[in-house]
Amino acid sequence: MNKQIRVLLVEDSKADAEIILRLIKKAGYEVFSQQLQTKPDLQNALKNQGWDVVLTDYSLPQFSAEEALETLKQSGLDLPFILVSGTVGEETAVRMMKAGANDYLLKDNLERLCPAIERELGEAKSRRERRKAEEELSNNQKKLAIAYEEARKAIKVRDDFLMIASHELKTPITSLKMNLQMMRRGINVEQGMPPKPEALAKSIDTSINQVNRLVKLIEDMMDVTRMEIGNLRFERSSINLKSLVQEVLDRFTNELSFAKCSIETNLHAEIIGNWDKTRIDQVVVNLISNAIKYAAGSKITVEASKNETHAFLSVRDNGPGIPKEKIPAVFQRYERANHDRNVVGLGLGLFICRQIIEAHGGTIRVQSEEKKGAAFLIELPLSGVPGTTA
Amino acid sequence: MKERILVVEDDADILEVVTQLLELEGFEVLKAGNGQVAIDLLEKTELLPHLILLDLMMPVKDGFEFRKYQMNHPRISSIPVVVMTAEGHHSERKSLLKANAILKKPIDIDELVGFIRKQLT
């Protein structure tokens, strides 16, 4: 089978063109060619990809080899450019070669034409391959740089998280240790002071609370790990949302009064859904404790309503709100709205909320403006399963 | 006369047990849930505390900000400060606090009382 070659001929003489093409055919090529004489024609021809070589006469009535070379360069294509001329002097030839022509031949001595074309095709091919390899290398380097940067960020996030986690764990441990020491002191025989049962009972209760806080922190961390590997289980049963919210608020009575937060509720009585009670409880707890933490001294409004298919739950505060740039990240792992103010917390609460709500087929979103409080809005299908739309 | 101690701590449980301890030790205790509450309290009161027990990581106004405010206000700048911290801060930042003592959480109650008594003599 013949080798194929696509030749652009910038040539005004039809006879010369035929001689050139015949020579190439003789060398065993199947030739596709286009002969042209003007710059616009060359520009148009170059728009069609697939040319292998440009052969150019030196001087044409409306065009020159210099212009043809310039036109080829502007096209951005890397095609061998060979000057084939009857009139070119050595000086011109050298100038053209310097400008980027690959070779020059005299029309009265065309023996070298085919070897020159073949050599230049080979070189053009290796230039293309080298460029491709370089591009691939550079793309891989970019990918590697991006991956490295991502890994570095992830490690930083983990490090920050570990620091916060250790602070969070130490808080209940501090309280626990001090309570235990107080009790030990209370029963110190040398001091001759019998412990007062009320004081002892209080210390024990507080200690139990601290243990519960530790368990909650550890469970949050475990939940996040389970969510990451898709291993969180749900046990659905018939749940009354109003009673659930009310129960949570009752548990928060002390914390609410300590933070000087008032609670306003507007809870529809008959919202019954098929949900995991512990998990939905966890969501409400996280939202209320966030409101207390970020909006101490403010009014917290909890509302629940429903339509035929969905329950709607919102928790609103009048606190400092969430800065606009932080809003997209609030439901992500390890995110806390307020790093600089040293608001404590693991930054896992809202991430966990979102995972739980989404596993029930619902959505959670936030509305907030700086200094105007924050509202967390939940839509939860009463069926409690994904695939139901509001 | 009982010596007064202002405890600035955002964790209600720690605040309570510290209060219980200090009252048992014969001190009068003033309580503040964060740096801002402490500043408000100090501005209002005529009976300034003899010592301030200060947590660092707190919402609204943290221990560092409180300390900065305190050092810039001559009326309260000389009140000794004992810092309680769960670590996690760089030591150079801690030196900015110029605290009289720094206690690491979890705190030992005997150590805490010891530090306080030492500052008050």
Side-chain angles (χ1 to χ4, degrees):
Chain A
M1 203 183 97
N2 280 347
K3 299 173 275 183
Q4 291 188 346
I5 188 165
R6 293 172 61 92
V7 182
L8 262 180
L9 265 173
V10 183
E11 173 66 71
D12 58 336
S13 156
K14 223 175 174 153
D16 287 356
E18 270 172 26
I19 293 169
I20 292 167
L21 293 175
R22 202 180 309 137
L23 268 172
I24 301 174
K25 278 178 195 154
K26 253 176 89 180
Y29 284 97
E30 188 183 341
V31 184
F32 296 91
S33 70
Q34 183 178 345
Q35 184 183 352
L36 44 86
Q37 306 179 37
T38 64
K39 184 171 175 171
D41 284 350
L42 179 59
Q43 283 171 328
N44 278 333
L46 288 171
K47 277 178 197 157
N48 301 320
Q49 300 277 323
W51 298 109
D52 294 309
V53 63
V54 181
L55 304 178
T56 313
D57 193 4
Y58 181 65
S59 67
L60 298 93
Q62 300 166 44
F63 207 16
S64 72
E66 277 99 346
E67 288 173 293
L69 181 57
E70 193 52 38
T71 307
L72 174 63
K73 279 187 188 165
Q74 280 168 5
S75 76
L77 297 172
D78 178 19
L79 296 179
F81 183 94
I82 299 174
L83 190 62
V84 186
S85 176
T87 56
V88 69
E90 201 170 323
E91 228 172 82
T92 310
V94 169
R95 199 177 65 242
M96 288 297 294
M97 297 288 283
K98 275 187 181 161
N102 297 87
D103 205 347
Y104 79 95
L105 298 153
L106 294 175
K107 280 183 180 169
D108 52 11
N109 183 11
L110 284 177
E111 286 154 30
R112 273 203 314 118
L113 179 65
C114 285
I117 289 175
E118 270 175 16
R119 185 193 67 230
E120 290 308 323
L121 287 178
E123 284 189 7
K125 190 178 168 213
S126 55
R127 278 199 300 276
R128 273 197 302 276
E129 282 167 357
R130 195 169 54 237
R131 241 190 334 265
K132 200 177 157 206
E134 277 166 7
E135 268 167 31
E136 269 172 23
L137 187 64
S138 139
N139 280 343
N140 286 340
Q141 276 169 341
K142 274 180 208 152
K143 277 185 207 157
L144 195 64
I146 292 168
Y148 174 75
E149 192 52 32
E150 277 170 3
R152 222 178 48 88
K153 271 188 206 152
I155 290 168
K156 169 89 169 68
V157 167
R158 272 280 146 114
D159 284 350
D160 288 353
F161 175 72
L162 283 177
M163 224 178 81
I164 294 161
S166 80
H167 176 273
E168 284 303 291
L169 293 170
K170 273 181 188 168
T171 301
I173 288 173
T174 299
S175 177
L176 183 59
K177 178 175 173 184
M178 293 181 85
N179 272 292
L180 289 172
Q181 287 184 314
M182 293 288 283
M183 284 186 266
R184 183 69 187 81
R185 189 186 263 212
I187 54 170
N188 194 334
V189 265
E190 283 167 31
Q191 283 185 347
M193 295 254 291
K196 287 188 194 133
E198 314 85 60
L200 206 54
K202 200 174 167 195
S203 284
I204 291 169
D205 286 345
T206 315
S207 303
I208 293 168
N209 276 339
Q210 303 318 310
V211 174
N212 291 339
R213 276 174 77 179
L214 285 168
V215 170
K216 164 93 169 72
L217 284 168
I218 292 161
E219 273 176 357
D220 274 3
M221 291 191 237
M222 296 286 289
D223 279 350
V224 168
T225 311
R226 283 193 202 111
M227 282 163 186
E228 256 173 38
I229 57 176
N231 208 3
L232 200 62
R233 286 177 212 293
F234 294 90
E235 282 168 33
R236 291 173 176 80
S237 62
S238 183
I239 306 299
N240 182 319
L241 189 59
K242 182 182 181 173
S243 344
L244 185 148
V245 170
Q246 208 58 62
E247 268 175 43
V248 172
L249 292 177
D250 288 347
R251 295 208 297 274
F252 271 101
T253 310
N254 288 338
E255 279 186 61
L256 284 163
S257 77
F258 181 72
K260 300 193 168 55
C261 285
S262 62
I263 279 276
E264 191 177 293
T265 55
N266 184 6
L267 308 168
H268 192 292
E270 290 303 320
I271 307 172
I272 314 285
N274 187 35
W275 305 313
D276 183 317
K277 185 167 192 292
T278 319
R279 294 300 179 184
I280 298 299
D281 185 289
Q282 194 178 359
V283 170
V284 179
V285 165
N286 281 340
L287 294 182
I288 302 289
S289 63
N290 267 359
I292 293 173
K293 192 157 60 186
Y294 287 98
S298 108
K299 184 174 84 176
I300 300 168
T301 311
V302 188
E303 290 179 302
S305 61
K306 67 162 190 173
N307 63 17
E308 295 82 53
T309 56
H310 283 72
F312 304 94
L313 177 69
S314 67
V315 178
R316 240 170 257 277
D317 66 58
N318 293 323
I322 303 167
K324 208 174 173 184
E325 67 278 9
K326 298 271 189 188
I327 286 181
V330 293
F331 293 109
Q332 284 172 19
R333 219 171 353 132
Y334 310 134
E335 272 302 328
R336 295 179 306 147
N338 226 332
H339 284 274
D340 38 6
R341 282 217 162 162
N342 292 325
V343 168
V344 292
L346 281 177
L348 298 178
L350 288 175
F351 172 76
I352 291 172
C353 286
R354 194 188 67 185
Q355 301 294 318
I356 292 172
I357 295 298
E358 285 179 356
H360 281 83
T363 58
I364 179 167
R365 61 203 168 88
V366 61
Q367 280 177 349
S368 181
E369 257 182 79
E370 237 171 317
K371 299 195 172 70
K372 287 186 182 170
F376 287 88
L377 312 167
I378 292 172
E379 287 183 19
L380 200 55
L382 299 173
S383 65
V385 287
T388 334
T389 47
Chain B
M1 191 200 69
K2 277 186 178 178
E3 281 169 305
R4 271 182 305 281
I5 297 177
L6 169 61
V7 185
V8 194
E9 164 67 63
D10 67 316
D11 187 273
D13 296 321
I14 295 180
L15 185 56
E16 185 169 331
V17 68
V18 169
T19 303
Q20 212 181 323
L21 167 69
L22 296 180
E23 283 176 352
L24 240 133
E25 290 287 326
F27 297 105
E28 182 186 333
V29 179
L30 307 170
K31 293 182 267 190
N34 65 57
Q36 189 56 54
V37 176
I39 288 169
D40 294 346
L41 187 148
L42 289 169
E43 276 176 354
K44 265 187 277 173
T45 186
E46 285 177 18
L47 296 168
L48 287 173
H50 300 89
L51 183 138
I52 298 167
L53 196 54
L54 181 68
D55 182 29
L56 289 184
M57 294 251 277
M58 291 181 291
V60 190
K61 212 172 215 105
D62 66 25
F64 292 96
E65 291 171 296
F66 170 83
R67 191 66 183 127
K68 202 171 140 195
Y69 176 95
Q70 190 205 351
M71 288 190 283
N72 284 325
H73 288 76
R75 183 170 164 263
I76 53 172
S77 60
S78 62
I79 303 171
V81 169
V82 173
V83 164
M84 310 180 280
T85 173
E87 272 296 328
H89 289 274
H90 296 297
S91 52
E92 64 259 40
R93 227 188 138 199
K94 264 188 199 150
S95 69
L96 289 177
L97 280 167
K98 297 196 178 72
N100 299 69
I102 294 179
L103 286 173
K104 266 203 243 173
K105 288 178 182 174
I107 291 162
D108 185 282
I109 60 170
D110 294 325
E111 202 183 4
L112 176 64
V113 172
F115 267 85
I116 290 172
R117 294 225 180 275
K118 201 175 140 198
Q119 293 306 323
L120 288 174
T121 49

